[in-house]
Amino acid sequence: MAAYGALVSLTHTIDQVLQPPPAHHFIIDRERIESLRERVVLLLDFLANQSFRRSKEVEDLEMRITDASNAAEDIIESNARNQIRAKYEFFRKMRSTLKNMVHINVKRDIPMIVEEFVFIEKELRNIKDDKVTEDEQSEKSPTVSSPRPLSGGKNTMVGFDEHLIQIMSMLATDESDRRIIPIVGMGGIGKTTLATNVYNNPFIVEKFEVRAWFVVSQECTGKEILLGLLRQVVTTGRNELEMNDDDELGEKLHKTLFGRRYLIVMDDIWDIKAWEMVNRFLPDNDNGSRILVTTRLMKLASDVGSCTPYQLNLLEKSQSWDLLREKIFAEGRCPVELEVIGRKIAKKCRGLPLALVVVGGLLAKSERDHWKYVEEDLTSSVNNQDDEFCMKILLLSYIHLPIYLKPCFLYFAVFPQDIDIKVSWLVRLWIAEGFIRQCKHKSLEEIGEEYLEDLIDRNLILVGKRKISGEVKTYHIHDLLSDLCKSEARKHNFLVFAKLDKTKASSDMLSVRRLIINGGRWKKIKLRASGSAATTRSFISFFYGNSSSYSARRFILLRVLDVVDRYPQHEILKLINSRYVACMGSLSMSSSISRLWSLQTLVVDEELTLPIEIWQMPQLRHVKAKTISLPDPPSDNAQKITVLENLQTLSTVGEFKCSEEVIKRIPNVKKLGIVCSTVGSHCLSNLGFLHKLESLSLAFDGTIGRGNMVFPSSVKKLCLSECKIPWEDMSIVGSLPNLQVLKLRSNAAVGQKWISNEEEFVRLKFLLIELRELEIWEADSTHFPCLEELHLRTLNLKEIPSDFSEILPLQVIDLNLCSSSLLTSAKEMSEERENLGYDALQIRYSSLGVLTILVKRGINLSVRDGRIRDPYVVIKMGEKRLKTRAVIRNVNPDWDKDFTIVVSDPCQPISLTVYDQYKFNLDDKMGDADFDIRPLVEVAKMNPNGLPNGTVSTIILPSISNCLAEESSLVWKDNRVMQDMRLRLKNIDCGEVELQLEWSDCFSYYKRS
């Protein structure tokens, strides 16, 4: 319900006006504003504890709630904006009349809004009373019957074979106690299809003496469920059963099932109460009886099941195509000419069986010319089939959401499809929009993350990436659920999507609270600042354009600005009510930043310069930029200390002064990024007072001493650079009890030998070492007992401690720009683990080596039409394209140009082409050749150190399989492998090119450089 979100947002706005930052004092009618807040809270509590059937009457009341909430916010925020403008811009005429204007608006409008809320609450209570009466009558005369699963035919089960085997095994296991097996997954993923195939399987039919199936609708009563089950297991007449109450029906069901092996399927459960009511009447006969439950709700599945919930996930690409093909073609064969487009259509269904089945049914009845239309607009094709059958199934998940989650779920409509959404990004936007209701002892961010977990449990959103700690880092949403969000959002006027490709803004752009730009530019768009345009509160654009010159002046009450665009300071300072500002480029904010009285989040992707007034903005929650210039806070004597209690993110601050005065003003910061650069400016022991700090990035700029470092025990993630901690002092890091991620970047530690200590790094899961000095590392498996990933970069380390093979959680070793001996060490560890019966390690070895190509000269190049050429050479390897200079009028040019390529795949072909440079026309080809570096790499792998300079290891002769003009020798020189070669050009009458190749492993190359 978008209306609930509007109410919560209104409570935040009221609270901000009643308790403004120290720099502001608003002239308000406090009594009337507090009265409004009380009424809003009462209505919120009532809505949160009730549920309503979807109806035109309820939807009309929702719209009235939204309109009334928005109107109240308009009044309050407009007055706040006017007062701040009067204070900072000295509008004398405005200031002289401001007090009277505020009182007139509040006295006239706020009481009317309070009366509207009273009326709405009364109407909602009447609807609720009517619903209770209907429920009581339904209990007396149930009419809902339970559809049985189809016993004939065969539902398509492509991709479900393994699931079928697993579920049948769980049903047929030897355990005699009654087992409850939940199947959980998003709507349309195939839970009912799987349960039906299990239920009708001949083995299951024979095994269970009694079987019953009931589809539990969202409005089902306990009596309806009991009646539905009894009608399948007893022969008593329908009327006789309906005369009984719940307990009598339950007792009859219990007696009927007692002593018999039964299988009960409870399909599509939404409410734990329905299960609890029926469960007490299902006996445990100690004979292997089973109950199969399907649901979309993970928490419910966990609560009802005696087994771990069986999760159904989206199909793989190949399974999706197999299912779609089987639905379209009776014999499962697809004509060759349709396979490419068919696979594209299958991919767009994103692995959802329901979508694949619906699309398959459509394509089976369509001409082949229609396939292209379906591929281009899959969503419309799905939704237009069978009276939007697919969307109605998915809509049930939205309808059944708790009211506080509905606006948060609808907000997923904001984001483009196929995008991974960062948790922090989404939650900060929710907070700025005012969707999250404050709860004691929890921050708004913590509540927002709980909301996301709830949406995951309901299978409405999907986990993208997880952090090493197991916490979710990114989410994404299935395309069809994204379309559902967009449809419902438009329906409730929750937001509007627009493309800026017209010279006049549409009416919905002028009246919506949230405007999402899908493309285009503001150029020539006509949009007035007066009237309804002032109601827009959120402006979000995912496309680079000219938004910066328009949105601030046209949407004067804007609260959320999130654009892929540069944005000038003076425009941002006009957004007086802004809560969230994110833009590109650099910003240098003046003292006027304090007028942004509601600002919570400020994000720029380059430099951010802040004035001293930033220390008087306690509403700030997140400040993030590539580099932040942060002034010293005002002295304690200058004015009353303002503590930024809400500030949780501050990153990355250049020339950070870790003084006591700074630390005590940011006591609750959780994520801190700092760079220290001058002696005496950093008392790093003060970091120990940040008791809520979880993520710290600390770098030193220059050659200063690190001083006395103290890290708070709360730190979970630590990234260090240029700190120059001696390895023997690494206990200051290793002793941190909650540390899970440690990144030791360039010169974070110094010394050639690290001897790890016992009882340190006890919870560390991720370790990155990026140093050049470390050569010896002594440790055993007890030193890093929880390590899961080890990343080593640019190291002179010869081997990984061999005992690491016994660290059972270890899964990944990632080597980058390291010696080949380190790779050998990792492989030996992996083999040892396999010999011990454990899983092999996942070893990644990137940037295999560095290839240096010296293009020496051309020999007897072709002459065309008597004209001597201006030749140059182009070398291509993959996407890399390297070019020499052109040598004017010379068929025997000396280029003497060397190129360096980092090579990850030596099997990739390398081509050489000679061109003639034309000034007024396309350059003309003068022949081409290709060459193979694999022999060079193979010799280098032999690592023949100690051989005399000039030792020839291999000679390659010219042949039809290569372009060599003469034999080519691989020579060992100065601990490097070199190869001279002369290539004969193809596709031309004459010409050769002379090269010299050199191969080095990455570590050796960078060590030399």
Side-chain angles (χ1 to χ4, degrees):
M1 182 189 284
Y4 183 88
L7 285 171
V8 176
S9 178
L10 177 55
T11 63
H12 287 298
T13 300
I14 293 172
D15 290 342
Q16 287 176 323
V17 170
L18 293 176
Q19 298 176 332
H24 300 281
H25 176 72
F26 296 118
I27 303 170
I28 58 173
D29 190 326
R30 180 170 289 270
E31 183 178 346
R32 282 186 167 84
I33 297 294
E34 289 177 344
S35 172
L36 172 63
R37 191 187 191 286
E38 290 174 5
R39 180 53 54 186
V40 171
V41 170
L42 286 173
L43 186 54
L44 275 172
D45 291 339
F46 177 76
L47 290 173
N49 294 311
Q50 306 295 334
S51 61
F52 301 92
R53 291 192 181 100
R54 285 171 70 95
S55 66
K56 181 67 167 59
E57 189 177 10
V58 170
E59 289 178 356
D60 288 344
L61 286 173
E62 287 181 10
M63 190 59 68
R64 291 184 67 170
I65 292 172
T66 302
D67 290 344
S69 301
N70 292 344
E73 282 197 308
D74 290 346
I75 294 168
I76 295 169
E77 292 186 325
S78 294
N79 281 318
R81 178 179 182 275
N82 289 337
Q83 291 187 53
I84 290 173
R85 289 183 64 198
K87 176 182 177 181
Y88 283 91
E89 299 178 17
F90 302 98
F91 295 157
R92 299 186 181 279
K93 187 177 293 187
M94 181 183 292
R95 293 187 73 182
S96 65
T97 60
L98 182 60
K99 185 173 182 178
N100 291 333
M101 180 188 72
V102 171
H103 280 289
I104 289 172
N105 285 344
V106 172
K107 286 181 179 179
R108 181 190 62 201
D109 296 332
I110 295 298
M112 294 172 58
I113 293 172
V114 171
E115 290 177 10
E116 175 74 349
F117 283 139
V118 171
F119 171 80
I120 291 170
E121 184 178 343
K122 182 179 178 181
E123 290 297 302
L124 287 172
R125 290 187 184 278
N126 290 338
I127 293 173
K128 185 63 181 176
D129 292 340
D130 293 342
K131 180 179 181 296
V132 171
T133 302
E134 291 175 9
D135 289 345
E136 290 174 350
Q137 293 174 348
S138 177
E139 287 284 351
K140 295 176 181 177
S141 304
T143 57
V144 177
S145 60
S146 172
R148 298 283 300 278
L150 296 174
S151 56
K154 179 180 183 292
N155 289 330
T156 302
M157 285 288 293
V158 173
F160 277 57
D161 292 342
E162 182 63 29
H163 298 313
L164 183 67
I165 293 170
Q166 291 289 337
I167 295 298
M168 288 185 61
S169 297
M170 296 167 78
L171 293 178
T173 186
D174 292 334
E175 284 83 357
S176 60
D177 58 321
R178 189 193 72 168
R179 292 288 178 100
I180 304 153
I181 303 163
I183 303 175
V184 64
M186 69 180 289
I189 206 164
K191 302 181 296 296
T192 300
T193 299
L194 175 59
T196 300
N197 279 265
V198 170
Y199 186 87
N200 290 326
N201 187 277
F203 172 78
I204 296 298
V205 173
E206 183 178 345
K207 181 174 179 63
F208 293 95
E209 182 182 353
V210 178
R211 294 179 305 133
W213 178 296
F214 191 86
V215 178
V216 187
S217 71
Q218 295 187 43
E219 302 294 337
C220 237
T221 65
K223 188 169 186 176
E224 289 168 346
I225 298 173
L226 293 170
L227 277 171
L229 294 174
L230 275 168
R231 288 172 188 152
Q232 299 175 62
V233 299
V234 299
T235 56
T236 309
R238 175 189 179 102
N239 293 334
E240 182 181 342
L241 286 174
E242 291 181 356
M243 296 298 292
N244 298 324
D245 60 24
D246 291 1
D247 287 339
E248 291 172 333
L249 290 171
E251 287 297 326
K252 192 170 188 65
L253 179 63
H254 186 276
K255 290 178 181 178
T256 304
L257 297 177
F258 189 78
R260 306 169 76 182
R261 181 187 294 154
Y262 60 84
L263 171 64
I264 303 291
V265 178
M266 303 282 286
D267 187 27
D268 204 22
I269 292 187
W270 291 89
D271 192 345
I272 191 68
K273 293 178 182 177
W275 163 252
E276 291 172 343
M277 192 275 168
V278 175
N279 182 42
R280 58 196 178 106
F281 298 117
L282 301 177
D284 185 352
N285 298 322
D286 197 30
N287 63 356
S289 292
R290 300 288 183 261
I291 302 163
L292 193 61
V293 171
T294 73
T295 181
R296 304 184 191 188
L297 313 179
M298 178 59 78
K299 186 176 186 305
L300 189 148
S302 300
D303 290 343
V304 306
S306 55
C307 304
T308 302
Y310 191 86
Q311 175 88 43
L312 286 185
N313 297 315
L314 297 171
L315 298 178
E316 300 290 339
K317 290 180 182 178
S318 59
Q319 295 173 327
S320 297
W321 169 235
D322 290 343
L323 176 56
L324 182 65
R325 187 182 63 231
E326 187 168 312
K327 291 301 297 181
I328 300 172
F329 305 103
E331 297 180 357
R333 292 182 179 180
C334 174
V336 175
E337 65 272 17
L338 291 176
E339 183 165 344
V340 172
I341 191 171
R343 287 183 180 274
K344 289 181 180 179
I345 294 171
K347 182 180 178 182
K348 286 196 170 186
C349 290
R350 308 294 181 192
L352 186 65
L354 175 63
L356 290 159
V357 169
V358 172
V359 171
L362 169 64
L363 294 178
K365 299 178 290 184
S366 301
E367 297 293 332
R368 296 185 178 184
D369 293 343
H370 191 64
W371 284 47
K372 185 63 177 175
Y373 167 76
V374 174
E375 191 261 332
E376 291 174 350
D377 193 0
L378 182 81
T379 301
S380 297
S381 301
V382 170
N383 292 338
N384 290 335
Q385 289 298 298
D386 300 323
D387 192 26
E388 298 187 350
F389 169 73
C390 186
M391 196 59 70
K392 287 179 179 178
I393 288 179
L394 298 177
L395 182 62
L396 290 175
S397 294
Y398 172 72
I399 293 172
H400 202 70
L401 277 175
I403 194 169
Y404 61 85
L405 285 180
K406 289 187 175 180
C408 295
F409 178 64
L410 289 186
Y411 206 75
F412 278 90
V414 166
F415 303 97
Q417 292 181 349
D418 304 327
I419 184 175
D420 266 4
I421 306 164
K422 290 189 70 172
V423 171
S424 56
W425 181 23
L426 178 59
V427 170
R428 290 170 192 174
L429 284 170
W430 279 353
I431 293 171
E433 295 283 3
F435 293 158
I436 301 178
R437 195 174 180 187
Q438 186 68 61
C439 177
K440 290 183 179 179
H441 312 305
K442 289 183 180 179
S443 69
L444 295 176
E445 285 80 4
E446 289 171 334
I447 299 169
E449 289 174 10
E450 289 177 0
Y451 284 7
L452 281 168
E453 288 294 331
D454 201 344
L455 290 171
I456 288 177
D457 286 346
R458 294 170 182 276
N459 285 285
L460 282 169
I461 59 175
L462 305 168
V463 174
K465 299 175 183 175
R466 288 189 181 271
K467 301 177 183 177
I468 194 71
S469 62
E471 298 174 307
V472 179
K473 184 176 182 178
T474 64
Y475 296 92
H476 58 271
I477 185 169
H478 193 279
D479 289 358
L480 289 179
L481 285 171
S482 176
D483 292 326
L484 171 65
C485 289
K486 289 178 170 65
S487 173
E488 289 294 305
R490 290 190 187 98
K491 178 180 178 181
H492 296 286
N493 202 29
F494 184 76
L495 53 79
V496 161
F497 303 92
K499 280 196 174 183
L500 302 176
D501 52 5
K502 300 177 181 179
T503 57
K504 188 174 181 180
S506 60
S507 59
D508 53 3
M509 287 176 63
L510 300 174
S511 60
V512 75
R513 302 296 276 193
R514 298 171 189 89
L515 180 59
I516 315 301
I517 302 301
N518 283 335
R521 300 172 71 88
W522 275 108
K523 191 175 182 180
K524 297 182 180 179
I525 296 289
K526 298 177 181 179
L527 196 62
R528 295 170 298 177
S530 58
S532 57
T535 66
T536 300
R537 292 300 196 276
S538 301
F539 180 88
I540 300 175
S541 175
F542 296 94
F543 295 86
Y544 189 86
N546 291 330
S547 58
S548 57
S549 61
Y550 278 81
S551 54
R553 71 185 71 163
R554 276 147 177 78
F555 306 127
I556 58 176
L557 297 180
L558 204 65
R559 291 193 302 218
V560 173
L561 174 71
D562 195 344
V563 293
V564 185
D565 211 340
R566 293 181 178 271
Y567 221 86
Q569 167 209 340
H570 67 276
E571 288 291 326
I572 290 176
L573 294 177
K574 292 177 183 178
L575 304 177
I576 291 175
N577 291 327
S578 60
R579 297 178 184 173
Y580 183 106
V581 174
C583 60
M584 296 175 64
S586 298
L587 281 179
S588 180
M589 304 300 287
S590 69
S591 60
S592 297
I593 192 175
S594 61
R595 72 173 67 185
L596 309 184
W597 66 288
S598 297
L599 187 64
Q600 300 169 349
T601 298
L602 178 59
V603 178
V604 298
D605 70 340
E606 294 183 16
E607 296 182 8
L608 174 62
T609 302
L610 297 172
I612 195 171
E613 284 75 14
I614 201 72
W615 294 106
Q616 299 298 316
M617 300 177 67
Q619 74 279 8
L620 280 172
R621 309 183 77 89
H622 307 280
V623 180
K624 188 175 180 181
K626 183 178 181 180
T627 303
I628 300 173
S629 178
L630 184 68
D632 295 339
S635 62
D636 294 352
N637 298 328
Q639 52 188 294
K640 184 179 179 182
I641 295 176
T642 299
V643 177
L644 307 188
E645 292 185 350
N646 293 308
L647 188 66
Q648 297 184 40
T649 303
L650 182 61
S651 181
T652 300
V653 183
E655 299 187 23
F656 182 74
K657 296 182 180 179
C658 193
S659 63
E660 184 179 345
E661 290 74 19
V662 170
I663 296 299
K664 70 183 180 183
R665 283 172 168 81
I666 55 172
N668 299 320
V669 70
K670 289 185 175 182
K671 182 176 182 179
L672 179 64
I674 56 177
V675 178
C676 300
S677 59
T678 57
V679 176
S681 66
H682 48 88
C683 303
L684 293 177
S685 60
N686 289 326
L687 290 173
F689 295 109
L690 297 175
H691 300 300
K692 295 188 178 180
L693 187 64
E694 295 180 359
S695 175
L696 173 63
S697 176
L698 170 61
F700 284 83
D701 182 11
T703 59
I704 60 171
R706 60 184 173 83
N708 182 28
M709 288 186 186
V710 176
F711 303 118
S713 60
S714 57
V715 169
K716 297 179 180 179
K717 180 179 180 180
L718 183 61
C719 181
L720 302 176
S721 178
E722 300 295 337
C723 297
K724 297 187 170 83
I725 304 172
W727 285 113
E728 55 267 26
D729 293 342
M730 192 52 65
S731 293
I732 63 174
V733 175
S735 60
L736 296 173
N738 296 300
L739 188 65
Q740 297 181 23
V741 176
L742 175 61
K743 297 182 179 181
L744 300 174
R745 298 199 180 276
S746 178
N747 291 318
V750 291
Q752 295 180 335
K753 187 174 183 178
W754 181 18
I755 303 177
S756 303
N757 299 322
E758 293 184 4
E759 298 182 359
E760 293 182 359
F761 300 106
V762 292
R763 294 188 179 178
L764 193 70
K765 296 182 177 182
F766 181 103
L767 175 60
L768 164 68
I769 307 177
E770 189 179 66
L771 304 163
R772 296 186 181 180
E773 287 190 355
L774 184 63
E775 295 183 1
I776 301 172
W777 184 9
E778 294 182 5
D780 60 44
S781 59
T782 63
H783 294 161
F784 300 87
C786 298
L787 190 65
E788 296 179 11
E789 294 190 23
L790 176 62
H791 296 251
L792 304 175
R793 297 179 184 172
T794 324
L795 280 181
N796 198 26
L797 189 67
K798 298 298 185 296
E799 63 177 5
I800 302 168
S802 58
D803 283 358
F804 276 24
S805 61
E806 299 175 15
I807 301 177
L808 298 186
L810 187 60
Q811 301 171 20
V812 175
I813 296 180
D814 182 57
L815 306 176
N816 196 323
L817 302 182
C818 294
S819 64
S820 57
S821 63
L822 203 56
L823 175 61
T824 302
S825 171
K827 289 180 177 179
E828 290 174 353
M829 283 177 52
S830 183
E831 291 174 3
E832 186 175 344
R833 284 171 67 98
E834 288 187 272
N835 293 336
L836 294 172
Y838 303 124
D839 292 337
L841 294 169
Q842 181 183 348
I843 299 174
R844 305 171 188 158
Y845 189 68
S846 54
S847 296
L848 181 66
V850 177
L851 174 67
T852 301
I853 305 174
L854 172 60
V855 183
K856 290 184 174 182
R857 63 192 181 108
I859 302 170
N860 192 29
L861 299 182
S862 174
V863 176
R864 182 178 180 181
D865 299 329
R867 188 182 75 83
I868 299 178
R869 312 288 194 104
D870 301 336
Y872 66 90
V873 173
V874 171
I875 293 177
K876 287 185 179 180
M877 184 177 189
E879 296 181 357
K880 300 180 181 70
R881 185 178 187 273
L882 309 169
K883 177 182 174 183
T884 70
R885 63 186 174 88
V887 178
I888 305 301
R889 297 179 59 80
N890 197 330
V891 293
N892 293 287
D894 291 320
W895 289 295
D896 284 324
K897 175 65 177 177
D898 59 352
F899 301 103
T900 300
I901 306 174
V902 178
V903 179
S904 58
D905 180 12
C907 298
Q908 198 171 22
I910 304 177
S911 66
L912 177 150
T913 306
V914 181
Y915 288 93
D916 179 17
Q917 181 174 272
Y918 272 82
K919 189 172 183 180
F920 302 108
N921 206 341
L922 292 176
D923 293 350
D924 189 21
K925 273 190 177 184
M926 298 176 63
D928 59 85
D930 51 62
F931 56 96
D932 187 358
I933 65 170
R934 284 178 293 180
L936 184 70
V937 175
E938 289 302 318
V939 171
K941 283 182 179 180
M942 295 165 58
N943 199 23
N945 290 317
L947 290 178
N949 274 350
T951 300
V952 177
S953 60
T954 304
I955 296 176
I956 303 174
L957 299 176
S959 71
I960 59 173
S961 63
N962 60 42
C963 295
L964 292 176
E966 61 183 27
E967 67 179 33
S968 175
S969 299
L970 279 73
V971 180
W972 188 250
K973 183 179 180 181
D974 297 330
N975 293 323
R976 284 172 277 176
V977 182
M978 306 180 115
Q979 180 180 6
D980 289 308
M981 61 170 60
R982 183 181 291 184
L983 300 177
R984 180 182 293 110
L985 297 178
K986 301 181 297 182
N987 304 312
I988 199 74
D989 55 351
C990 64
E992 297 174 358
V993 175
E994 196 171 289
L995 305 177
Q996 184 182 75
L997 308 182
E998 177 186 329
W999 178 265
S1000 305
D1001 68 68
C1002 287
F1003 178 76
S1004 299
Y1005 176 84
Y1006 285 106
K1007 188 177 181 182
R1008 291 199 307 269
S1009 61

